[in-house]
């Protein structure tokens, strides 16, 4: 009779060898590489268009960049970090963390830097990749870890290119441009602009913030961790796990559940905290009214800042609410005829959030072209799998949870789910796995219905909303996401033997 070990050995011996391509070496790509190695699936290459890991944290180096998810939560659960300096660590520290984790797992030998994947075609049961350098690869599974907020959106403002000073997008910060004593303009009032304004107001000569829409600001202090606290975390990693888990629970109960129920008591508490912040911390009544949003808090992605109101009330700061008419060599001309003269113009105008792995050309089964499949808007079953694109799985794909949560936790849950689909391929239960059209359609319909109860549809413009005004994000609680990610429902997948 065969022993259990022998049975496992036989199963392993007959397992299908799989080659993987991971696209992107940001947070989700690093996670994928580590988890594949952990599973003993070491035949893979990570394709990274830049020359370093880090994704959004490599690209966003603007002054004040930080994560507004607590750092002990915005960490890999398997690589918690006792060294975080603050509750919300600065971006450079987060970048260093990702580099350190990648080094620790010796990922450099798997990563092909400076080579962008331009094309992926599914043919003969495998994916054929072509990169910008002309390199080709053939793999069984593609993991698209290409990020969400990475294609800068430049505003469509007349004369933008005529500006005679220095102008750049917040995600392309030009550190050679001096700011000290100069006249700096910032367009936008999202999380990015708010962080920039607070960080630079103390050094610039004059700061002009061009506000199209006022934002609710949730005040949140950012204490530093003491040496004693860090030493305690180092000495007892169990404390770090506890902290990570309690922050996760706190976030889930406060933010995550609040935003998907516009009538919840939690959202009312958030609204009150934002309103109190405005009423108590902006002294000039005219400025206070200019900063008062006319929609509900958290309808747009909530901006979290301890010191933005202080910053905008500095004597060298000015809030401009008149609409921008055009940009001229000397500065920004607003509709009231005023020319706001500037030396530097920062475009904190956000990102094209529906691009995902595009402009990469992706061709699936029977010639299905992703660009056409996504012509109206990007879709993927549970944000992970696209019908007719077998063995291609997305991390942080379309319509997944992107609210004020840790995207690391989201990606970890998604990866565990993907690995269960990969196991079907490995154990030869299927050669091709992709969501069915029916499963995607049903999911889309349920998602759109659930979205009606969220705070995102209570009357504001935001990057969460698609062209129909439907939030392109997970509209249910985070615990529902966790449940969905626990195990794939196989009836939702087309398994080609
Ligand atoms: P955003 O939230 O999309 O904000 C873009 C801003 O630019 C908005 O205020 C928008 O005005 C304004 N804008 C765009 N086009 C304009 C135009 N033509 N004229 C005038 N104003 C214009 O972008 P973001 O601030 O870069 O943030 C994007 C996301 O990145 C955040 O929501 C968040 O998810 C993430 N982020 C996170 C952190 C963090 O701490 N974790 C920090 C930064 C960013 P309207 O509001 O009127 O559209």
């Amino acid at each position: 009779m065969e022993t259990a070990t022998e049975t496992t050995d036989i199963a392993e011996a007959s397992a299908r060898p799989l080659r993987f391509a991971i696209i992107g070496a940001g947070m989700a790509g690093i996670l994928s590489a580590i988890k594949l190695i952990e599973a003993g699936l070491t035949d893979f290459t990570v394709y990274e268009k830049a020359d370093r890991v880090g994704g959004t944290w490599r690209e966003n180096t603007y002054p004040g960049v930080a994560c507004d998810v607590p750092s002990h939560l915005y960490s890999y659960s398997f690589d918690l970090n006792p060294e975080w300096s603050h509750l919300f660590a600065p971006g450079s520290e987060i970048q260093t963390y990702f580099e350190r984790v990648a080094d620790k797992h010796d990922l450099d030998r798997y990563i092909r830097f400076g080579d962008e994947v331009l094309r992926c075609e599914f043919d003969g049961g495998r994916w054929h990749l072509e990169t910008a350098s002309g390199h080709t690869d053939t793999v069984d599974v593609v993991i698209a870890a290409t990020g969400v907020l990475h294609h800068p959106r430049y505003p469509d403002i007349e004369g933008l290119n005529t500006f005679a000073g220095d102008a750049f997008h917040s995600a392309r910060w030009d550190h050679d441009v001096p700011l000290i004593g100069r006249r700096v303009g910032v367009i936008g009032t999202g999380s990015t602009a708010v962080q920039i304004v607070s960080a630079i107001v103390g050094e610039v000569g004059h700061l002009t913030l061009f506000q199209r829409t006022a934002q609710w600001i949730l005040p949140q202090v950012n204490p530093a961790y003491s040496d004693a606290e860090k030493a305690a975390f180092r000495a007892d990693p169990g404390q770090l796990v506890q902290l990570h888990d309690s922050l996760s629970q706190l976030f889930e109960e406060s933010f995550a559940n609040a935003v998907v129920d516009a009538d919840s008591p939690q959202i009312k508490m958030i609204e009150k905290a934002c309103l109190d912040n405005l009423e108590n911390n902006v002294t000039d009544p005219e400025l206070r009214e200019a900063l008062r949003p006319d929609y509900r808090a958290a309808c747009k992605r909530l901006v979290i800042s301890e010191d933005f109101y202080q910053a905008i009330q500095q004597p060298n700061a000015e809030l401009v609410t008149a609409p921008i008419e055009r940009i001229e060599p000397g500065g920004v001309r607003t509709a009231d005829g005023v020319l706001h003269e500037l030396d530097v113009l920062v475009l904190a105008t956000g990102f094209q959030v529906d691009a995902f792995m595009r402009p990469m050309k992706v061709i699936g089964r029977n010639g299905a072209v992703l660009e056409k499949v996504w012509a109206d808007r990007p879709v993927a079953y549970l944000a992970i799998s696209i019908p007719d694109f077998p063995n291609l799985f997305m991390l942080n794909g379309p319509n997944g949870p992107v609210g004020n949560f840790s995207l690391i936790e989201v990606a970890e849950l998604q990866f565990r789910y993907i690995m269960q689909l990969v196991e079907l391929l490995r154990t030869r239960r299927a050669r091709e796995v992709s969501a069915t059209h029916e499963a995607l359609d049903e999911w889309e319909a349920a998602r759109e219905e659930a979205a009606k109860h969220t705070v995102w549809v209570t009357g504001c413009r935001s990057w969460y909303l698609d062209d129909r005004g439907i939030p392109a994000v997970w509209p249910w609680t985070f615990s529902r996401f966790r449940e969905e990610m626990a195990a794939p429902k196989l009836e939702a997948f087309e398994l080609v033997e």
Side-chain angles (χ1 to χ4, degrees), residues 21 35 39 83 147 182 233 241-242 244 284 301 308 327 349 398 430 469 482 492:
K35 290 290 166 189
E83 312 302 335
R182 302 183 80 200
F233 291 147
V241 175
Q242 229 173 37
H244 173 273
D284 174 43
R301 189 206 192 256
F308 169 68
I327 294 172
T349 45
R482 212 178 267 120

Side-chain angles (χ1 to χ4, degrees), residues 404-435:
N404 294 69
F405 328 99
S406 164
L407 280 191
I408 299 188
E409 197 171 357
V410 170
E412 285 191 19
L413 290 165
Q414 290 176 328
F415 198 82
R416 278 219 305 266
Y417 181 97
I418 291 170
M419 284 302 272
Q420 296 176 63
L421 298 174
V422 164
E423 195 57 13
L424 299 174
L425 302 173
R426 212 181 68 82
T427 54
R428 300 183 189 272
R429 287 180 60 197
R431 276 184 301 111
E432 297 177 13
V433 177
S434 53

Side-chain angles (χ1 to χ4, degrees), residues 13-35:
S14 65
R16 176 180 168 199
L18 294 174
R19 175 160 173 73
F20 296 76
I22 297 168
I23 306 182
M27 173 278 285
I30 294 172
L31 164 76
S32 307
I34 293 170
K35 290 290 166 189

Side-chain angles (χ1 to χ4, degrees), residues 186-190 193-194 197 209-213 324 346-349:
V186 176
I187 300 182
T189 49
V194 162
V197 167
L209 177 63
F210 296 93
Q211 169 184 290
R212 185 164 71 180
T213 311
I324 296 173
V346 177
L347 309 170
T349 45

Side-chain angles (χ1 to χ4, degrees), residues 124-171:
R126 302 188 84 197
W127 284 98
H128 303 273
L129 277 62
E130 276 174 40
T131 70
S133 72
H135 172 80
T136 59
D137 196 354
T138 299
V139 303
D140 301 291
V141 179
V142 172
I143 295 173
T146 50
V148 188
L149 301 162
H150 65 142
H151 296 291
R153 192 180 59 200
Y154 288 88
D156 184 15
I157 301 175
E158 186 193 327
L160 183 57
N161 295 328
T162 66
F163 183 59
D166 297 294
F168 43 81
H169 189 274
S170 55

Side-chain angles (χ1 to χ4, degrees), residues 62 66 68 149 189 191-192 195 212-213 300-301 350 461 463:
Y62 60 79
D68 58 17
L149 301 162
T189 49
S191 302
T192 303
Q195 289 179 340
R212 185 164 71 180
T213 311
K300 279 170 172 296
R301 189 206 192 256
R461 165 178 51 194
W463 66 262

